[in-house]
Amino acid sequence: MRIRRKTQTVKVGNVYVGSDYPIVVQSMTNTDTEDALATAIQIADLARAGSEVVRITVNTIEAGAKIREIKQRLEDIGIDVPLVGDFHFNGHKILAANPDCALLLDKYRINPGNVGKGSRRDEQFAYMINTAKEYGKPVRIGVNWGSLDQELLAAMLDSNARLAKPLELDEVMRNALVESALQSADKAIELGLPSNQILLSCKVSHVQDLVKVYDDLAGRCDFPLHLGLTEAGMGAKGIVASTAALSLILQSGIGDTIRVSLTPRPGESRTQEVVVAQEILQSLGLRSFVPAVTACPGCGRTSSDYFQKLAEKIQSFLREQMPIWKTQYPGVEDMKVAVMGCVVNGPGESKLANIGISLPGRDESPVAPVFIDGEKNVTLKGDNIAEEFQLIVENYVREKYTR
């Protein structure tokens, strides 16, 4: 039985993060933040796809100056989603130059490895934490394998070399990731930032390393943890790697927010990372976002690709309706729909769903029985099966889920 790790609650804009609340889906823009219009458009796309928090790059003073315009553009089109400012190297300068940026962002993301070097690190980290404290903003201390605090790592490597049985290099690096996050959180608390305004993340790009890091981190603190396999990659590789890593960690009860860091193909929508994150949580039974469609893979018994097209059409239709349905028809996200291709498993799977259709396979009668809540309701035939089945689904939603 999965038992979720107990954490504090952190409020990020209008979203609550922590073990008392559902696991939050996050995403990140890849637009130039200085282009306020393009950034607002992408944020809106991500929010409509289901991203509950969106992170944006704030890498220049000019980008920081655009936060007010971005927020206003979103407000004008009715989008209210918390925005996280992603700061590296010069965050202290950007926040100092842009009080609006400091005020209007809902959370700051600080990477301890990129805050500065030597004495400047403490000074610049303190400035950002004090700014968060002044404006009442939560902070994610986000450590990354690729930008780990080199001074901390060097010190830990030196200590490791003096051991009778030194640890392997990758284990020392994992330990350094966790130490960097926890030490930075302790410093933030010493500076006066309340502990319930701190979230942590420790991201690496290999599945087993990520699992070990979060297992260690979760055992040593009660801060909410943000999960993500960094630089997961493109296409199937990125999806599979992220799913494998996040599923293992989530199943162990660890994780309060997630992001799937996919590399989109040129011109591809950024929203795929949101859909994949939702599907991971829904497949694990941790949250429901959209009615689930069960569909068989097809075999020599299926006489055509008709059931595949119908499954795709219904799945797209359901996802497109959810921005409206989730407010009009509460609970509809838990609905199950089955689109099956022959008589072997078709009727059985259809009876197990709220609504199911069993299309005719090879050499079967050219009819499609439809089952509603386990009972055969109607048999469809002819050239308009897809349209008639979609209408049945719409009518079922209205009758079953109306307040």
Side-chain angles (χ1 to χ4, degrees), residues 163-319:
L163 296 176
K165 292 184 178 180
L167 304 174
E168 295 291 331
L169 175 60
D170 59 348
E171 187 171 355
V172 178
M173 289 190 70
R174 289 196 299 268
N175 292 342
L177 280 165
V178 174
E179 284 300 323
S180 178
L182 294 176
Q183 289 181 17
S184 297
D186 287 342
K187 288 178 184 176
I189 292 170
E190 289 173 11
L191 290 165
L193 189 68
S195 63
N196 65 353
Q197 286 182 224
I198 298 173
L199 305 92
L200 301 182
S201 68
C202 288
K203 292 188 176 183
V204 302
S205 54
H206 299 119
V207 172
Q208 294 296 348
D209 286 318
L210 193 76
V211 174
K212 291 174 182 176
V213 164
Y214 274 94
D215 185 58
D216 184 12
L217 185 61
R220 297 177 60 185
C221 71
D222 65 352
F223 300 113
L225 301 183
H226 171 68
L227 307 184
L229 186 75
T230 192
E231 289 94 38
M234 298 181 73
K237 185 269 178 187
I239 293 172
V240 171
S242 292
T243 302
L246 297 184
S247 295
L248 288 168
I249 298 168
L250 290 166
Q251 188 63 21
S252 69
I254 297 169
D256 303 287
T257 79
I258 68 169
R259 181 194 170 205
V260 175
S261 301
L262 298 179
T263 303
R265 292 180 175 84
E268 185 179 43
S269 172
R270 192 74 166 177
T271 58
Q272 186 186 26
E273 68 176 58
V274 179
V275 174
V276 173
Q278 289 181 334
E279 292 291 350
I280 290 171
L281 293 175
Q282 187 150 335
S283 295
L284 290 171
L286 302 179
R287 288 191 66 181
S288 294
F289 297 94
V290 64
V293 177
T294 299
C296 65
C299 68
R301 289 178 176 271
T302 50
S303 58
S304 72
D305 60 0
Y306 190 83
F307 82 95
Q308 296 164 299
K309 292 177 180 177
L310 178 55
E312 182 179 34
K313 181 177 181 180
I314 288 296
Q315 188 161 287
S316 297
F317 169 73
L318 294 172
R319 187 166 282 280

Side-chain angles (χ1 to χ4, degrees), residues 10-15 53-54 67 71 80-85 101-109 135-139 199:
V10 176
K11 189 172 185 288
V12 182
N14 56 7
V15 172
V53 174
V54 178
I67 301 302
K71 295 276 281 192
D80 183 17
V81 63
L83 298 185
V84 180
C101 174
L103 172 66
L104 295 173
L105 287 171
D106 297 288
K107 185 174 75 175
Y108 308 159
R109 186 278 177 115
Y135 289 96
K137 304 297 181 179
V139 171
L199 305 92

Side-chain angles (χ1 to χ4, degrees), residues 32-48:
D32 180 355
T33 307
E34 291 184 29
D35 186 341
L37 176 58
T39 301
I41 289 172
Q42 191 172 82
I43 292 169
D45 288 343
L46 291 165
R48 291 186 183 110

Side-chain angles (χ1 to χ4, degrees), residues 291 310 314 317-318 321 325 332 335-339 355-357 370 372 386-401:
L310 178 55
I314 288 296
F317 169 73
L318 294 172
Q321 298 306 307
W325 281 4
V332 70
M335 185 174 70
K336 305 291 189 295
V337 180
V339 179
I355 307 173
I357 185 169
V370 175
I372 296 181
E387 291 76 14
E388 291 174 16
F389 183 64
Q390 181 172 307
L391 184 59
I392 291 171
V393 172
E394 291 183 74
N395 289 336
Y396 181 87
V397 169
R398 280 195 293 269
E399 293 171 6
K400 179 85 173 183
Y401 297 101

